[in-house]
C-alpha cells in the first residue's frame, strides 16, 4: 500500500529565514504528488503538484518542491518565510488522477517574529 | 460558484445518535471521497465512490456508511455516534488528471 511520511511534525523558523519541509513516499509505481496547506480553522488549499515533467515544481506563495525519484522524496521549500506562512502543511500522493489521495500526517510550520 | 458543498458545517451529537453528512458537487465529477481529520493524523480516507451507485471502503470505514444514489451527492452516515468519531470531516471530488476539489469541512463533536 502506498504511504507518505512527513519527517517533521513541527518546524519552528524565524521570519525571513529559509525553510524545508521534508516528505518521503513509498510506491513501486509512478505517483502524483501534492502539497496542501491548511491555515488555522480553515480548509485545504493546494500549494503545488507534480504530475510529470520537470522535477522542480513551483507553487503559490513562493513555495517550490523538488521531486526526487531515486530518493522517493518530495521536499517543500521556501527561501524566505513570512508570519502568514504559519500553518499545517500536508504532503499527499496518489497513483493516478482518480484514485484516493493518501495524506501524510502533516507538518506544523510556526514562523517566529 | 462551482465546487463542493458540505452540510452542515458544525454539529454536536450525543453518543448513540445518528446523523447524515451531505456532500454535493456541481462539477459533474465521477469520483467522490470522504476523509476525517484528527490532530497529528493527517486526513484519513473513510469511504469513496467511483461513480453513481458505487461505494468502496477506505482506511477507516468502521462506524460509517455511505450512499451515492445521485452522481452529484455523496452521503456519509453515522448510525450510532461515538466520541471517537469527533473529528473534522472533509469531502472531495475528482474528475481527471489529478484535479481534486475539497469542501470546507464539517466539524462534528460527539459528547
Amino acid at each position: 500500500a502506498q504511504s507518505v511520511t512527513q519527517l517533521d511534525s513541527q518546524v519552528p523558523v524565524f521570519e525571513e529565514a529559509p525553510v524545508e519541509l521534508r516528505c518521503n513516499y513509498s510506491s513501486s509505481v509512478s505517483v502524483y504528488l501534492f502539497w496542501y496547506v491548511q491555515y488555522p480553522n480553515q480548509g485545504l488549499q493546494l500549494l503545488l503538484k507534480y504530475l510529470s515533467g520537470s522535477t522542480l515544481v513551483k507553487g503559490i506563495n513562493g513555495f517550490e518542491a523538488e521531486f526526487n525519484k531515486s530518493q522517493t522524496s518530495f521536499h517543500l521549500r521556501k527561501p524566505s518565510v513570512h508570519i502568514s506562512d504559519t500553518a499545517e502543511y500536508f504532503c499527499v500522493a496518489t497513483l493516478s488522477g482518480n484514485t484516493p489521495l493518501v495524506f501524510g500526517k502533516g507538518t506544523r510550520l510556526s514562523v517566529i517574529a | 460558484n462551482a465546487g463542493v458543498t458540505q452540510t452542515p458545517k458544525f454539529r454536536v451529537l450525543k453518543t448513540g445518535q445518528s446523523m447524515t453528512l451531505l456532500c454535493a458537487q456541481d462539477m459533474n465529477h465521477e469520483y467522490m471521497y470522504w476523509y476525517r481529520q484528527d490532530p497529528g493524523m493527517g486526513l484519513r480516507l473513510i469511504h469513496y465512490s467511483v461513480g453513481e451507485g458505487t461505494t468502496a471502503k477506505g482506511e477507516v470505514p468502521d462506524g460509517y456508511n455511505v450512499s451515492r444514489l445521485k452522481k452529484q451527492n455523496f452521503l456519509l452516515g453515522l448510525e450510532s455516534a461515538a466520541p471517537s468519531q469527533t473529528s473534522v470531516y472533509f469531502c472531495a471530488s475528482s474528475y481527471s488528471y489529478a484535479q481534486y476539489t475539497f469542501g470546507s469541512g464539517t466539524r462534528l463533536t460527539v459528547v
Side-chain angles (χ1 to χ4, degrees), chain A residues 5-36:
Chain A
T5 302
Q6 292 184 241
L7 297 164
D8 306 291
S9 59
Q10 297 186 61
V11 173
V13 62
F14 286 105
E15 192 174 18
E16 297 184 7
V19 70
E20 178 180 80
L21 306 184
R22 299 179 296 165
C23 173
N24 288 119
Y25 65 94
S26 67
S27 177
S28 59
V29 299
S30 297
V31 295
Y32 296 159
L33 296 162
F34 308 75
W35 277 97
Y36 281 84

Side-chain angles (χ1 to χ4, degrees), chain A residues 31-83:
Chain A
V31 295
Y32 296 159
L33 296 162
F34 308 75
W35 277 97
Y36 281 84
V37 61
Q38 186 178 38
Y39 299 103
N41 297 313
Q42 293 193 25
L44 297 162
Q45 182 178 4
L46 179 66
L47 274 178
L48 49 81
K49 62 184 174 184
Y50 171 79
L51 304 181
S52 64
S54 173
T55 57
L56 184 63
V57 182
K58 293 191 182 296
I60 61 171
N61 301 340
F63 284 94
E64 63 181 31
E66 186 159 16
F67 172 66
N68 188 319
K69 187 174 182 179
S70 62
Q71 297 188 8
T72 59
S73 68
F74 191 55
H75 301 332
L76 181 71
R77 302 184 181 101
K78 186 169 182 178
S80 176
V81 294
H82 303 289
I83 295 289

Side-chain angles (χ1 to χ4, degrees), chain B residues 41-59:
Chain B
M41 299 298 292
L43 276 74
R44 294 178 292 170
L45 183 67
I46 305 172
H47 287 280
Y48 64 102
S49 168
V50 300
E52 182 178 317
T54 74
T55 63
K57 293 181 180 179
E59 181 186 357

Side-chain angles (χ1 to χ4, degrees), chain B residues 27-43:
Chain B
M27 298 169 286
N28 203 35
H29 285 181
E30 288 290 338
Y31 297 75
M32 297 187 75
Y33 316 87
W34 274 108
Y35 291 87
R36 60 176 288 172
Q37 181 182 18
D38 303 293
M41 299 298 292
L43 276 74

Side-chain angles (χ1 to χ4, degrees), chain B residues 76-106:
Chain B
L76 178 71
L78 287 72
E79 290 187 348
S80 179
S84 60
Q85 295 177 304
T86 293
S87 188
V88 180
Y89 292 85
F90 286 98
C91 176
S93 68
S94 67
Y95 176 57
S96 64
Y97 207 51
Q99 302 288 341
Y100 294 83
T101 303
F102 280 86
S104 58
T106 296

